[in-house]
Amino acid sequence: MLDFSGLAVIALATGGIKPCVSAFAADQFEEHEVNERNQFFSFFYFAINAGSLVAILLTPMLRGRVKCFGSEYCFPLAFGVPGVLMLLAFILFVSGWRYYKIAPAAKGNVVFSVFCCIIYAAKKKISALFKGQDKVEHWLDYAASKYSNYFLSGVKSLVAVSVLFGPGSTWVLQARRMDGRVGPFTILPDQINTLNPLIILIMVPIFEAFIYPTARKFCNITPLRKMATGGILAAVAFIMAGLVQVQRCLG
């Protein structure tokens, strides 16, 4: 029971932090401070992945190489150390409260609206199935009578990309089937995710110092173009990973 309660608290806390932290950081800059804002977010992304790298490396060691409370694994220490660090981070954040710019909250709640739209469309979909009248192109179109086409288009995009956010444990399960020995070192299965933040830490300075300045000589680099390029490269990476997995299964 405590395990599920802890997971619920983590989900609630993460859901409260992640949607707000980037927007809150952006509010600290004036409209004309474009370069400063871009530099901040590069450092912000770098710092997040630096913390992720250290956490993914050290937490499995604390769990597997330290014994406590008569158990072979010390999960209390593995969870306790990040918990203490989060508390310290929160104290540091609150200590600078008087220096922050607090923007007024927007009216309405888009998360609640999206949730209501999905529930409404799902109810209409189920009702249509029972009546044998399921003839719409997309099941969310059942909410067209209540929500605008623009809003429905956004919800459809959200639902479409949500399948990409698979659990990180998938990589851990795959790593259990791999040989983690790299020279004199052994990579534990729950350390396999270190590759993502490690590569990010390497690539962020390279992009900021060389790739972006060079690319700006040929075209205007906008956040939308960065996202589009990243999405294409991510798709290629997933295809390559799928081909490797198919080859492993056939071999």
Side-chain angles (χ1 to χ4, degrees), residues 54-143:
V54 174
I56 296 173
L57 280 174
L58 294 183
T59 302
M61 296 180 183
L62 296 176
R63 172 192 59 80
R65 298 182 182 179
V66 178
K67 297 181 180 180
C68 61
F69 301 104
S71 175
E72 184 179 356
Y73 301 106
C74 192
F75 284 100
L77 184 62
F79 283 104
V81 171
V84 172
L85 294 177
M86 290 178 190
L87 178 61
L88 292 176
F90 176 73
I91 293 173
L92 289 174
F93 173 76
V94 173
S95 65
W97 190 264
R98 60 178 178 173
Y99 301 106
Y100 300 142
K101 297 177 183 177
I102 309 298
K107 295 182 179 179
N109 189 323
V110 66
V111 176
F112 182 73
S113 298
V114 169
F115 181 77
C116 290
C117 175
I118 293 175
I119 296 298
Y120 182 81
K123 289 181 178 179
K124 290 286 188 179
K125 169 73 173 180
I126 295 173
S127 177
L129 286 175
F130 280 110
K131 295 178 181 179
Q133 300 175 351
D134 185 21
K135 297 180 180 180
V136 298
E137 182 178 354
H138 194 285
W139 65 274
L140 282 170
D141 289 332
Y142 283 108

Side-chain angles (χ1 to χ4, degrees), residues 6-232:
L7 290 174
V9 172
I10 291 174
L12 181 63
T14 303
I17 292 174
K18 287 193 173 181
C20 302
V21 62
S22 297
F24 180 78
D27 288 339
Q28 308 309 306
F29 296 91
E30 301 294 339
E31 289 294 331
H32 64 276
E33 296 177 327
V34 178
N35 292 331
E36 291 82 355
R37 184 168 58 243
N38 291 338
Q39 291 175 0
F40 166 79
F41 276 105
S42 294
F43 175 77
F44 176 70
Y45 194 49
F46 185 91
I48 287 177
N49 284 279
S52 176
L53 176 64
V54 174
I56 296 173
L57 280 174
L58 294 183
T59 302
M61 296 180 183
L62 296 176
R63 172 192 59 80
R65 298 182 182 179
V66 178
K67 297 181 180 180
C68 61
F69 301 104
S71 175
E72 184 179 356
Y73 301 106
C74 192
F75 284 100
L77 184 62
F79 283 104
V81 171
V84 172
L85 294 177
M86 290 178 190
L87 178 61
L88 292 176
F90 176 73
I91 293 173
L92 289 174
F93 173 76
V94 173
S95 65
W97 190 264
R98 60 178 178 173
Y99 301 106
Y100 300 142
K101 297 177 183 177
I102 309 298
K107 295 182 179 179
N109 189 323
V110 66
V111 176
F112 182 73
S113 298
V114 169
F115 181 77
C116 290
C117 175
I118 293 175
I119 296 298
Y120 182 81
K123 289 181 178 179
K124 290 286 188 179
K125 169 73 173 180
I126 295 173
S127 177
L129 286 175
F130 280 110
K131 295 178 181 179
Q133 300 175 351
D134 185 21
K135 297 180 180 180
V136 298
E137 182 178 354
H138 194 285
W139 65 274
L140 282 170
D141 289 332
Y142 283 108
S145 60
K146 189 175 181 180
Y147 298 91
S148 66
N149 291 332
Y150 178 78
F151 184 80
L152 285 178
S153 176
V155 178
K156 289 178 183 178
S157 299
L158 174 65
V159 172
V161 302
S162 62
V163 298
L164 299 177
F165 296 94
S169 57
T170 301
W171 305 109
V172 177
L173 294 175
Q174 287 187 339
R176 291 181 181 275
R177 303 169 57 187
M178 299 168 59
D179 185 359
R181 291 174 295 180
V182 181
F185 304 100
T186 299
I187 300 177
L188 300 175
D190 36 5
Q191 290 179 325
I192 195 68
N193 286 326
T194 56
L195 293 176
N196 179 49
L198 178 61
I199 294 174
I200 289 174
L201 293 180
I202 296 173
M203 296 305 296
V204 166
I206 294 176
F207 268 80
E208 289 295 326
F210 302 105
I211 296 180
Y212 286 152
T214 302
R216 288 191 182 98
K217 297 179 180 179
F218 303 96
C219 63
N220 184 26
I221 304 298
T222 64
L224 185 59
R225 288 179 176 176
K226 292 180 183 179
M227 293 170 61
T229 304
I232 294 172

